[in-house]
Every structure is written in C-alpha cells, then in structure tokens.
Amino acid sequence: MVKSLTSGLEVAIYDVIFKRKSIRKYDNSPLDEDILNRISEELNNLIPLHNDIKIDIKIISGEDVKLRGMKQAPHYLAIFSEKKDGYLTNLGFMLQQVDLLFSASGIGSCWQGIPSPKGNVLKSSDLDFIILIAFGIPAEPLYRDDTSQFKRKSLENITDIVDAKELLEPVRLAPSAINSQPWFFTGTKDIIHACSNKPNFLKAILVNKYISIDAGIAIYHLKVSAEHFKKTITITFNKDKTIPKGLNYLATLKLDSAD
Ligand SMILES: Cc1cc2nc3c(=O)[nH]c(=O)nc-3n(C[C@H](O)[C@H](O)[C@H](O)COP(=O)(O)O)c2cc1C
C-alpha cells in the first residue's frame, strides 16, 4: 500500500528510522505515474550537506539496469554527481532523505552498490554515475517489528560521547553498504564531530567509496534525531585537533536549543 508522498513528514521520518529495512523483493507492477511525478518533485527538494556540489538524479526502469546478480526492481534512482571534496558524503546525506521518505510512504527501497545502469542511462547525464537505489511496491514486510531486529554495533562502538544515548540511537540504526557501519561520532553532545573509520590499505580499494556514502547517511540520521529533540543544527567543515587517530574527519554538527 502506497501512502501519500508529501514533504513535511518530519515526525514519520524520525519514527521510520526505528523500523525501516532494505527491501529486495518487489511487486513487478510499476508505481502509478502520479506517484513517480511526486517522487520527481521531492528529488528537487533534497537538502544538500555541501551546497556547491552538483548532483543529478534520474528515475529509470529496471530494464535499464545491469543487475550483476541482484534481483530486479521495477524502478531505480540513478544518482550522478560532480566529483568534488565531500561529494560521496553529500550524496549519502541527500539520498538517505529519499530512502526514509520512501519507507514512510509505503514504498520499498534498497541502496544498490553492485548493479549499474546501462549505457543509454550513463550517457544521459553530464555528471559521473555514482550509485543506484532500487524502489517499488514491496513484496515483503516493509518494516521491522522492533529495533532488536536491527543487526548493528553497540553505541559504545560508534561514539565516545557518553550522555547522548537517545540522540545517537538513530545514527546507530543507519543502513550502510554490507552493513559495515563505518562511522564514529566524537566530541560532546552539543558539538559532535562526524568521522568515518580509516580502512586498511587493501580494504580501502574495495570499500572507500561506500564508507563516505555510509557516513553521509549516518549524518542525515543525526540531523533528523537532533531536530526531533528540538535542536537547531549548524554544520561546519573545519577539522578539530581532538579527532582521535584512525578516523577521517567529515563534519561538525553544532546543536543548540531551538528556544
Ligand atoms: C551505499 C550502500 C550500498 C549498498 N549496496 C547494496 C547492494 O549492492 N545490494 C544489496 O542487496 N544491498 C545493498 N545495500 C544495503 C545494505 O546491505 C543494508 O543497508 C545493510 O545490510 C543494513 O540492512 P538494512 O538496510 O535492512 O537495515 C547497500 C547499502 C548502502 C548504504
């Protein structure tokens, strides 16, 4: 069942973090044209992390995708970006807005690092192709029953901030490529530095692209959580001297009480 796809679903978006899951089985029938048009509109309203990086998102059909062993979905978002500092984190931050919106609207979706679009799609943008997101009417339960069904690291393994359990729980539950959860949040509950784990040399060749996208996804979950707790957020990009070794600094989120 596809519910209305509209903006202003802040409450539902926060709630959906606690039950969303990747959907890999879809009903073959395409979504209504009207829903696809509304998705296109939403794609124009995504909030960037870095507002100087061009990004282009196309809705394509399953026929236009080389599946490489993955199941076909009726629709995909093909995401293209300019390659500038921070572009992958920016992309993760922006497209996680869509993943959560899909889930809140009754649409199944799954980030897809392995498949790639066919040549006609690749030629359709001036920007570089980065990743796909599959979506459609789910043919499996859309939600988890409760958070015990998430396979995730414990909070102590993704942060050294001790007094922000509720704030950081949505970050802990964020999705990531091969569920590697390669993020670490350090600082204080009011000034939080978002970092990714530095992989070793060999692992880096395989997963570097995904680590930065994953971290952008987690940063978006933190923004949703902070707003739920009525904080205003300022995001800056100046590496703090206190960042522990072994981490790649990505961004600082300053949280202030809204009133
Ligand atoms: C950047 C990225 C790439 C992913 N690529 C794939 C993929 O190629 N195939 C797939 O089945 N799942 C893929 N996933 C989904 C992850 O496996 C999934 O998010 C993770 O295992 C956590 O499960 P959940 O999303 O159900 O909570 C990807 C996720 C992310 C964030």
Side-chain angles (χ1 to χ4, degrees), residues 17 19-24 67-68 70-71 91-92 96 99 109-115 131-133 144 149-152 173-181 183 209-215 217:
I17 287 176
K19 54 186 183 179
R20 63 149 296 287
K21 66 182 175 78
S22 292
I23 298 298
R24 297 184 178 85
L67 295 168
R68 302 210 167 101
M70 298 286 123
K71 287 208 179 93
L91 187 154
Q96 188 58 12
D99 175 86
S109 67
C110 183
W111 285 86
Q112 294 279 284
I114 295 170
I131 198 163
L132 294 168
I133 294 183
R144 295 183 160 107
Q149 293 175 353
F150 283 81
K151 292 193 180 106
R152 295 295 192 267
L173 298 177
S176 52
I178 52 168
N179 204 21
S180 67
Q181 306 156 65
W183 43 67
K209 166 174 163 184
Y210 299 121
I211 288 179
S212 303
I213 295 178
D214 294 340
I217 293 173

Side-chain angles (χ1 to χ4, degrees), residues 60-126:
I60 61 169
S61 117
E63 305 300 315
D64 284 326
V65 172
K66 289 190 234 164
L67 295 168
R68 302 210 167 101
M70 298 286 123
K71 287 208 179 93
Q72 194 180 57
H75 309 283
Y76 289 80
L77 300 176
I79 301 125
F80 300 81
S81 175
E82 208 178 358
K83 288 190 169 172
K84 272 184 171 177
D85 266 6
Y87 76 100
L88 292 169
T89 312
N90 181 58
L91 187 154
F93 182 90
M94 290 182 79
L95 271 298
Q96 188 58 12
Q97 297 166 40
V98 188
D99 175 86
L100 295 177
L101 181 63
F102 277 152
S103 193
S105 309
I107 297 172
S109 67
C110 183
W111 285 86
Q112 294 279 284
I114 295 170
S116 67
K118 293 184 180 166
N120 56 323
V121 177
L122 292 178
K123 281 189 220 132
S124 69
S125 179
D126 296 338

